Amino acid sequence: MTTAETTYRSRAPWWFNIAGHLLEPWVRIRRDPAEPAGLLKSDAPVCYVIERDGFSDALILDRACREAGLPSPMQPLSNTRRKRSVFALARRDGEVFGRNRKRSPNEPIGQLIRSLEGFPERDIQIVPVSIYVGRAPSRETGWFRVLFSENWVVVGRFRRMLALLLNGRDTVVHFSAPVSLRQVMNESSELQPERFARKMARVLRTHFRRIRAAVIGPDLSHRRTVVDAVLNAEPVRAAITSNAVKENISYAKAWERAHNMMMEIAADYSHPVVRSASFLLRNFWNKLYDGITMHHFDKARAAAPGYEVVYVPSHRSHADYLLMSYQLHASGVVVPHIAAGVNLNLPLIGPILRRGGAFFLRRSFKGNALYPVVFNEYLAQLIDRGVPIEYFIEGGRSRTGRLLAPRAGLLAMTVRAFLRAPRRPVLFQPVYIGYEKLMEGKSYAGELSGKPKEKESLIGLIRGLSVLRQRYGHVALNFGEPIELTPMLDAANGDWRDNTSDPSVKPEWLNGVVDKLAEQIQININRAADVNPINLLALALLATPKHAMAENDLLAQLELMKALLEELPYSDRVTLTPMAPDAIIAYGEQMGWITRIRHPLGDVLTVEGEPAVLLSYFRNNVQHLIAPAAWVACCFLNNRRMTRASILRLGRIIYPFIQGELFLPWDSEGFGHQLQATIDFFVRRGLLEASGESRVLERGPGQDDAAYQLKVIARNLIQAFERYYIAIAALVKNGPHTVTAAELENICTLTAQRLSLLSEPSAPEFFDKALFRGFIQKLRERRVVWIDENGKLDYDSALEGMVRDARVILAREMRHSILKITGGDPEKESARPAAAPVEPPAAAKQPEQEELSEQQELPLNTSEELHERHVIAEHREHEHHAPAEQDKD
């Protein structure tokens, strides 16, 4: 024992020190924060306050302070009559070990107040300390031990002793920031000392309840209590009465229907079940995954206190539910109540999920006026009680790897529940969940190819256990930038607080707020992406015609993409694998994603068959991160030269559609800045050459390594433009006032399927109906397309300009293939007058003629475009008269 520890011990009675020695082998303390000494000021004495009176709590606090280098709680408090620098808010009564019943728990606070009266220079730091025995799961946790873990019940001495013996090695001591008693007294100087002491005690009790709720969860009574509260709420009683009248049944029978609905919906949260599941899942994850990491969680935890937290993760696997709950519980945060589809309420599985915090909802609320009222009230009760909630706003699991268009039903319910009782501000916490291999991968590919979705069942779950024999790599949970609801409401309507009394009234501005909130959640999820080795391999290999690359080329491409993501960060919350390119390739081989083909001239890495289809999922996870770079590269697929202004102008035209599909974070101006930075990056890397005061950009010849790298980047986005062209060509072919939006969506899907069979490698997400639906909706939002009085689609002449712009990006062969399948006239498309390309000098019209033949930087529509062509023409004329700088093609 050190001298400092000896000195520290001497401040406590001998019997206290002996008890501490006896308890020490059974208790292992984790401090939160790890170094609480940084919270304290050095010029004021410290008085600790604990939630509950108890000898074991005093021993634990004394040891935690000693290990952290804090003042001893057992020493007398300076300038006061108190013999100890600690007191408890709740005192235990008893004949032998209890305390004096006549003494108020507020008395210690009164003593502290009186010690400062008349001495304005004095101050006391009050430090609330929360002690939890058995909260944090550990390797030693067993099934029996979870029964004696920390909860809301005030336990006796015998149960506390058992908890220490069984769970003492999982003890958490949480030090809160100190409160200056002098400052609080000055702020409440109008109160009498007795009233101030009561107020101070009430504030401290509220603080301890809030910390306990954040650490072990809210104090939830039995499910019947919540059910009764919902059924007794005025909106539900009115709905029951209305249902009874409408169905011509008794009120009792209608009430029974509502009761059955509530029993179907409500969670039955159980702390022992959650802790038991955590113990079971630890071994499960160790067998299934090579590791689970969380990034930016400390920021999320720091932002949460005082808020009703709604977790809104991306939804890619059934494992999402369990991973989120397990990681939050393991990190010392309460497990949220999770909205789950009623299809998961299976025998045996449903009750376990329900006790783990799941509450179930039907896929559709239509056809039953009573059900939505009951569900809305249940959600409002959870929010009003401060229960953290989790749901997936995509509505279902993504089958393509991209974020799905949000379904804002639960968001709207959450906002309306807050408007009804805005007591606790709401904070939405986006979470990106990234995998390296999915258990559902094969079924996703089958569903995208047209196979019906297999209905969840217990037998299907048992059959699916075979997937547990595989390893699924690493999983990342990245916590994005949280979104506060109140500022969004203030921006929409500054008077919203004055219109919250009637829950049945739906403000006109509500839909706009919900839509904006949903979009911002998806944007913030994408801004927290994790780029793992499999994502990078997918971006590189799937962008080649045969999904194969020479090893040297693949190494160079991986290095380029890592440099792009590092030098032009998408967001400060994006995380990137630290693996070097050669380690990434080795890891891909180890995971079974890529195959090495040995060859005397250099090994080839390839993705063959089914893995190529499944790998497209992981490319789509991070496709948004390279969207600006892919757009710039696309401009040089069929053009050797383009002006910088042309790239930016066309980028602004196409951006709303890319943004809607990939949930990009910039506005039009911000995207322009990102394109400028990307162009500069390509110039620095030698992929593009700038001339004419950087106004003209040129890539190398097709066989050049730089041109090859650009092409690989471009092909990650080219399928999106092909889909856009399919939709536009199909609409123009059918003509205005002939097809509905649903019919056009079906035509596009069939066209893309056939095109994929004829010319594209197997890529089911290419003909995903949801992507066509999103593009058609975006055309409608921008009033390029609209619905006439007969429900058919009509369109603006701007659609023809989009067709012309497509000729800059898409190769002639691809455009002709699309027109042929949709029934358009390829000859007519070829004959459509376009701006005559600037004639290059004879010296520049040698090898690569097949690329230069489609060299039109822009269709000539405006004087701005004429000026851009003039810039390129001047540049080429200069090359023609300066042989030393001629294009060697």
PDB file of all heavy atoms in Angstrom, residues 271-283:
ATOM      1  N   HIS A 271     -36.031  -6.492 -16.830  1.00  0.00           N
ATOM      2  CA  HIS A 271     -34.589  -6.341 -16.630  1.00  0.00           C
ATOM      3  C   HIS A 271     -33.874  -7.689 -16.569  1.00  0.00           C
ATOM      4  O   HIS A 271     -32.819  -7.857 -17.185  1.00  0.00           O
ATOM      5  CB  HIS A 271     -34.310  -5.542 -15.355  1.00  0.00           C
ATOM      6  CG  HIS A 271     -34.719  -4.104 -15.445  1.00  0.00           C
ATOM      7  ND1 HIS A 271     -34.188  -3.243 -16.378  1.00  0.00           N
ATOM      8  CD2 HIS A 271     -35.614  -3.377 -14.723  1.00  0.00           C
ATOM      9  CE1 HIS A 271     -34.728  -2.042 -16.221  1.00  0.00           C
ATOM     10  NE2 HIS A 271     -35.598  -2.103 -15.233  1.00  0.00           N
ATOM     11  N   PRO A 272     -34.387  -8.682 -15.834  1.00  0.00           N
ATOM     12  CA  PRO A 272     -33.696  -9.980 -15.825  1.00  0.00           C
ATOM     13  C   PRO A 272     -33.597 -10.621 -17.198  1.00  0.00           C
ATOM     14  O   PRO A 272     -32.574 -11.218 -17.540  1.00  0.00           O
ATOM     15  CB  PRO A 272     -34.555 -10.827 -14.871  1.00  0.00           C
ATOM     16  CG  PRO A 272     -35.214  -9.837 -13.971  1.00  0.00           C
ATOM     17  CD  PRO A 272     -35.476  -8.643 -14.835  1.00  0.00           C
ATOM     18  N   VAL A 273     -34.661 -10.486 -18.016  1.00  0.00           N
ATOM     19  CA  VAL A 273     -34.614 -11.075 -19.355  1.00  0.00           C
ATOM     20  C   VAL A 273     -33.565 -10.368 -20.210  1.00  0.00           C
ATOM     21  O   VAL A 273     -32.803 -11.000 -20.945  1.00  0.00           O
ATOM     22  CB  VAL A 273     -36.000 -11.010 -20.027  1.00  0.00           C
ATOM     23  CG1 VAL A 273     -35.904 -11.353 -21.509  1.00  0.00           C
ATOM     24  CG2 VAL A 273     -36.961 -11.967 -19.343  1.00  0.00           C
ATOM     25  N   VAL A 274     -33.504  -9.021 -20.103  1.00  0.00           N
ATOM     26  CA  VAL A 274     -32.515  -8.273 -20.883  1.00  0.00           C
ATOM     27  C   VAL A 274     -31.106  -8.682 -20.483  1.00  0.00           C
ATOM     28  O   VAL A 274     -30.231  -8.904 -21.333  1.00  0.00           O
ATOM     29  CB  VAL A 274     -32.723  -6.753 -20.691  1.00  0.00           C
ATOM     30  CG1 VAL A 274     -31.560  -5.969 -21.274  1.00  0.00           C
ATOM     31  CG2 VAL A 274     -34.022  -6.315 -21.357  1.00  0.00           C
ATOM     32  N   ARG A 275     -30.862  -8.823 -19.192  1.00  0.00           N
ATOM     33  CA  ARG A 275     -29.520  -9.200 -18.753  1.00  0.00           C
ATOM     34  C   ARG A 275     -29.202 -10.642 -19.132  1.00  0.00           C
ATOM     35  O   ARG A 275     -28.060 -10.975 -19.475  1.00  0.00           O
ATOM     36  CB  ARG A 275     -29.397  -8.990 -17.248  1.00  0.00           C
ATOM     37  CG  ARG A 275     -29.516  -7.520 -16.850  1.00  0.00           C
ATOM     38  CD  ARG A 275     -29.207  -7.301 -15.372  1.00  0.00           C
ATOM     39  NE  ARG A 275     -29.367  -5.893 -15.031  1.00  0.00           N
ATOM     40  CZ  ARG A 275     -30.453  -5.373 -14.489  1.00  0.00           C
ATOM     41  NH1 ARG A 275     -31.487  -6.142 -14.239  1.00  0.00           N
ATOM     42  NH2 ARG A 275     -30.522  -4.091 -14.217  1.00  0.00           N
ATOM     43  N   SER A 276     -30.198 -11.507 -19.050  1.00  0.00           N
ATOM     44  CA  SER A 276     -29.977 -12.892 -19.462  1.00  0.00           C
ATOM     45  C   SER A 276     -29.689 -12.969 -20.956  1.00  0.00           C
ATOM     46  O   SER A 276     -28.802 -13.711 -21.392  1.00  0.00           O
ATOM     47  CB  SER A 276     -31.210 -13.739 -19.123  1.00  0.00           C
ATOM     48  OG  SER A 276     -31.460 -13.722 -17.734  1.00  0.00           O
ATOM     49  N   ALA A 277     -30.441 -12.189 -21.745  1.00  0.00           N
ATOM     50  CA  ALA A 277     -30.208 -12.180 -23.193  1.00  0.00           C
ATOM     51  C   ALA A 277     -28.817 -11.639 -23.511  1.00  0.00           C
ATOM     52  O   ALA A 277     -28.140 -12.113 -24.425  1.00  0.00           O
ATOM     53  CB  ALA A 277     -31.279 -11.341 -23.885  1.00  0.00           C
ATOM     54  N   SER A 278     -28.377 -10.625 -22.741  1.00  0.00           N
ATOM     55  CA  SER A 278     -27.042 -10.087 -22.949  1.00  0.00           C
ATOM     56  C   SER A 278     -25.979 -11.153 -22.699  1.00  0.00           C
ATOM     57  O   SER A 278     -25.005 -11.268 -23.455  1.00  0.00           O
ATOM     58  CB  SER A 278     -26.824  -8.887 -22.022  1.00  0.00           C
ATOM     59  OG  SER A 278     -25.506  -8.409 -22.112  1.00  0.00           O
ATOM     60  N   PHE A 279     -26.171 -11.940 -21.665  1.00  0.00           N
ATOM     61  CA  PHE A 279     -25.237 -13.039 -21.353  1.00  0.00           C
ATOM     62  C   PHE A 279     -25.215 -14.054 -22.498  1.00  0.00           C
ATOM     63  O   PHE A 279     -24.161 -14.529 -22.910  1.00  0.00           O
ATOM     64  CB  PHE A 279     -25.688 -13.711 -20.053  1.00  0.00           C
ATOM     65  CG  PHE A 279     -24.937 -14.959 -19.720  1.00  0.00           C
ATOM     66  CD1 PHE A 279     -23.678 -14.897 -19.150  1.00  0.00           C
ATOM     67  CD2 PHE A 279     -25.494 -16.206 -19.979  1.00  0.00           C
ATOM     68  CE1 PHE A 279     -22.985 -16.052 -18.840  1.00  0.00           C
ATOM     69  CE2 PHE A 279     -24.807 -17.361 -19.672  1.00  0.00           C
ATOM     70  CZ  PHE A 279     -23.552 -17.291 -19.093  1.00  0.00           C
ATOM     71  N   LEU A 280     -26.394 -14.381 -23.044  1.00  0.00           N
ATOM     72  CA  LEU A 280     -26.479 -15.360 -24.128  1.00  0.00           C
ATOM     73  C   LEU A 280     -25.891 -14.810 -25.426  1.00  0.00           C
ATOM     74  O   LEU A 280     -25.159 -15.497 -26.143  1.00  0.00           O
ATOM     75  CB  LEU A 280     -27.943 -15.760 -24.342  1.00  0.00           C
ATOM     76  CG  LEU A 280     -28.247 -16.722 -25.498  1.00  0.00           C
ATOM     77  CD1 LEU A 280     -27.604 -18.078 -25.217  1.00  0.00           C
ATOM     78  CD2 LEU A 280     -29.751 -16.890 -25.685  1.00  0.00           C
ATOM     79  N   LEU A 281     -26.204 -13.545 -25.729  1.00  0.00           N
ATOM     80  CA  LEU A 281     -25.769 -12.960 -26.996  1.00  0.00           C
ATOM     81  C   LEU A 281     -24.264 -12.774 -27.068  1.00  0.00           C
ATOM     82  O   LEU A 281     -23.696 -12.776 -28.158  1.00  0.00           O
ATOM     83  CB  LEU A 281     -26.470 -11.624 -27.227  1.00  0.00           C
ATOM     84  CG  LEU A 281     -27.947 -11.700 -27.628  1.00  0.00           C
ATOM     85  CD1 LEU A 281     -28.564 -10.314 -27.654  1.00  0.00           C
ATOM     86  CD2 LEU A 281     -28.098 -12.355 -28.992  1.00  0.00           C
ATOM     87  N   ARG A 282     -23.616 -12.604 -25.916  1.00  0.00           N
ATOM     88  CA  ARG A 282     -22.169 -12.418 -25.948  1.00  0.00           C
ATOM     89  C   ARG A 282     -21.490 -13.602 -26.633  1.00  0.00           C
ATOM     90  O   ARG A 282     -20.641 -13.435 -27.512  1.00  0.00           O
ATOM     91  CB  ARG A 282     -21.630 -12.247 -24.534  1.00  0.00           C
ATOM     92  CG  ARG A 282     -20.135 -11.946 -24.494  1.00  0.00           C
ATOM     93  CD  ARG A 282     -19.597 -11.863 -23.087  1.00  0.00           C
ATOM     94  NE  ARG A 282     -20.328 -10.889 -22.300  1.00  0.00           N
ATOM     95  CZ  ARG A 282     -21.157 -11.212 -21.305  1.00  0.00           C
ATOM     96  NH1 ARG A 282     -21.348 -12.476 -20.998  1.00  0.00           N
ATOM     97  NH2 ARG A 282     -21.783 -10.290 -20.631  1.00  0.00           N
ATOM     98  N   ASN A 283     -21.857 -14.789 -26.225  1.00  0.00           N
ATOM     99  CA  ASN A 283     -21.275 -15.976 -26.852  1.00  0.00           C
ATOM    100  C   ASN A 283     -21.737 -16.127 -28.298  1.00  0.00           C
ATOM    101  O   ASN A 283     -20.979 -16.574 -29.160  1.00  0.00           O
ATOM    102  CB  ASN A 283     -21.661 -17.231 -26.051  1.00  0.00           C
ATOM    103  CG  ASN A 283     -21.072 -17.213 -24.654  1.00  0.00           C
ATOM    104  OD1 ASN A 283     -19.959 -16.732 -24.451  1.00  0.00           O
ATOM    105  ND2 ASN A 283     -21.815 -17.727 -23.686  1.00  0.00           N
TER     106      ASN A 283
END
